[in-house]
Amino acid sequence: MRARCSMFHHVKTYQYYAFLGTLPFIGCTLLFLMGYKAYPILGSIRQVIEIYGLVIGSFMAGTFWGVAVSCKDKIPKDLLLFSNIWALILWVAFLWPPELPFPWILAFAFFVYLWFDGELLKRDLISDEYFQTRFKVTLIVNACLITSGFFS
């Protein structure tokens, strides 16, 4: 068995941050389910979840750069291109007319990111533990985004 890249061997700190990162998605979705379209201080709930999702989507695209830097020659050759293209797709989709179901586009992007993480797992470039965390977080976030897409 090849040695994995050392990027994700911290003492599960990334797991705490990953699950904490779901809280804004969960909170916005709960507000939608309670019938709120806007909330004092926050403003438009749709705008909050879309902007937060855009930031997280861009961040997740950037994590592939971290894998590339840590793993150097072992990465798939299209990893950096993939990362850039998806970050740009999200930004263009966000700037598109508001009728575009951006929460659903985010959900699709997060599924694509998860698929690519699966490819990295097959190449033994990320740990199974990291992939399992990503899988669970993606399910939570996408459930929120898909639900929010219906209510926003």
Side-chain angles (χ1 to χ4, degrees):
M1 179 192 238
R2 294 175 302 205
R4 285 189 193 95
C5 299
S6 61
M7 183 175 176
F8 298 112
H9 286 226
H10 303 327
V11 185
K12 299 185 184 183
T13 304
Y14 69 86
Q15 292 175 320
Y16 298 116
Y17 289 129
F19 284 104
L20 284 172
T22 66
L23 293 179
F25 291 109
I26 294 167
C28 286
T29 302
L30 290 174
L31 289 171
F32 277 131
L33 292 173
M34 292 187 297
Y36 290 96
K37 296 287 184 186
Y39 198 77
I41 299 173
L42 293 177
S44 165
I45 305 296
R46 178 180 173 146
Q47 188 175 30
V48 169
I49 201 167
E50 287 182 352
I51 291 172
Y52 183 69
L54 177 61
V55 168
I56 297 301
S58 298
F59 170 78
M60 291 308 301
T63 63
F64 294 116
W65 279 77
V67 172
V69 168
S70 296
C71 300
K72 295 186 175 70
D73 296 330
K74 296 188 247 178
I75 64 163
K77 64 181 176 180
D78 53 353
L79 181 62
L80 297 178
L81 179 63
F82 168 86
S83 174
N84 283 329
I85 287 173
W86 273 98
L88 291 172
I89 287 170
L90 290 180
W91 279 95
V92 169
F94 176 76
L95 295 172
W96 214 260
E99 299 80 37
L100 194 67
F102 190 63
W104 294 344
I105 293 169
L106 283 167
F108 180 74
F110 289 137
F111 275 129
V112 170
Y113 292 168
L114 185 64
W115 170 79
F116 214 85
D117 276 332
E119 294 299 310
L120 295 175
L121 178 65
K122 287 177 191 174
R123 295 169 189 245
D124 205 31
L125 297 177
I126 60 173
S127 70
D128 185 58
E129 182 180 59
Y130 176 75
F131 181 79
Q132 291 303 317
T133 300
R134 285 275 297 114
F135 181 81
K136 292 171 190 171
V137 167
T138 299
L139 289 181
I140 294 167
V141 168
N142 280 1
C144 291
L145 288 169
I146 291 166
T147 302
S148 295
F150 283 112
F151 288 91
S152 65

